[in-house]
Amino acid sequence: MDCVFCKIISGEIPSPRLYEDEDFIIIRDIAPQAKCHYLALPKKHFADVTEMTAEDAALVGRMLRKIGELAPTLGLTGGFRLVSNKGADAMQSVPHLHIHILGGEKLSDKMC
Ligand code: AMP
């Protein structure tokens, strides 16, 4: 499948992993929009939240819980923002569900 995130997950495209378990990996975003900008990528390919099965939803729930646990080690002691874009209006550029994790500084009070 021609998916940049699948290629990162398989190792075809090198990208250091800050965290990995059987469900997902966390990498740094290549074009950071905050002092800390990470991406949480499920190992299973599905395009976005509208394509999740109930099993995928449970997986995403585990991802969110783990992100919360990892926050201090990711430099996010002051808080963080999670974003998952879907579709053209949201400017989703990679159709493999991912959660942006943003923080490490005071973020804008505007959502976009
Ligand atoms: P979105 O626009 O929500 O689909 O987010 C896709 C994100 O993936 C963007 O913030 C990109 O900067 C990021 N990105 C694209 N290619 C890579 C890559 N090879 N390594 C890390 N981040 C990437």
Side-chain angles (χ1 to χ4, degrees), residues 4-5 8 13-15 27-33 37 39 41 83-86 90-96 98 100:
V4 64
F5 289 167
I8 287 173
I13 296 177
S15 180
I27 61 170
R28 288 184 200 284
D29 196 292
I30 204 169
Q33 295 186 37
H37 185 173
L39 298 172
L41 313 177
V83 175
S84 190
N85 293 319
K86 186 269 179 297
M91 303 289 285
Q92 183 181 13
S93 59
V94 181
H96 176 127
H98 51 284
H100 294 262

Side-chain angles (χ1 to χ4, degrees), residues 21 70 94 101 103:
D21 66 19
L70 294 171
V94 181
I101 307 166

Side-chain angles (χ1 to χ4, degrees), residues 45-110:
H45 179 96
F46 48 100
D48 56 59
V49 290
T50 69
E51 291 204 359
M52 293 194 303
T53 62
E55 205 173 286
D56 298 335
L59 180 157
V60 171
R62 291 195 296 276
M63 288 172 64
L64 294 176
R65 190 152 179 265
K66 182 55 80 174
I67 289 166
E69 273 177 36
L70 294 171
T73 63
L74 293 171
L76 302 170
T77 46
F80 53 90
R81 179 173 294 161
L82 303 180
V83 175
S84 190
N85 293 319
K86 186 269 179 297
D89 280 1
M91 303 289 285
Q92 183 181 13
S93 59
V94 181
H96 176 127
L97 182 128
H98 51 284
I99 300 168
H100 294 262
I101 307 166
L102 299 141
E105 63 180 327
K106 188 75 89 181
L107 301 174
S108 165
D109 60 357
K110 310 269 188 300

